[in-house]
Amino acid sequence: MNRFTGLIVIVCGVLAIIVGLLIHTGWLTWFGRLPGDIRYESDNVRVYVPIVSMLLASIVLSLLFYLLRRFF
């Protein structure tokens, strides 16, 4: 159990570094601006609801955790 937990922490850390590098270089500028994300701006109010972006993130994370459980 401890070895598996350590492996999960290492994989999550590597993925966080990769995502951070993608954000820093500008490869993820499309995330949050997908069709279906709700954005409303007026003079005093700014509302943003990233529905499709969060659905995409949920699918990717679900697939990742499924693969981790399946192969480890």
Side-chain angles (χ1 to χ4, degrees), residues 37-49:
D37 290 345
I38 299 170
R39 180 177 293 191
Y40 172 76
E41 295 182 20
S42 70
D43 293 336
N44 298 325
V45 178
R46 199 178 286 179
V47 178
Y48 178 67
V49 184

Side-chain angles (χ1 to χ4, degrees), residues 18-47:
I18 290 171
V19 169
L21 287 172
L22 289 174
I23 291 171
H24 181 70
T25 58
W27 281 82
L28 287 179
T29 56
W30 55 269
F31 189 75
R33 294 187 177 105
L34 294 172
D37 290 345
I38 299 170
R39 180 177 293 191
Y40 172 76
E41 295 182 20
S42 70
D43 293 336
N44 298 325
V45 178
R46 199 178 286 179
V47 178

Side-chain angles (χ1 to χ4, degrees), residues 4-69:
F4 178 71
T5 305
L7 184 62
I8 294 289
V9 170
I10 290 171
V11 168
C12 288
V14 169
L15 287 174
I17 289 171
I18 290 171
V19 169
L21 287 172
L22 289 174
I23 291 171
H24 181 70
T25 58
W27 281 82
L28 287 179
T29 56
W30 55 269
F31 189 75
R33 294 187 177 105
L34 294 172
D37 290 345
I38 299 170
R39 180 177 293 191
Y40 172 76
E41 295 182 20
S42 70
D43 293 336
N44 298 325
V45 178
R46 199 178 286 179
V47 178
Y48 178 67
V49 184
I51 295 172
V52 176
S53 295
M54 290 301 102
L55 283 173
L56 181 64
S58 176
I59 290 169
V60 169
L61 288 174
S62 295
L63 180 64
L64 175 70
F65 287 128
Y66 170 76
L67 291 173
L68 284 174
R69 277 184 295 171

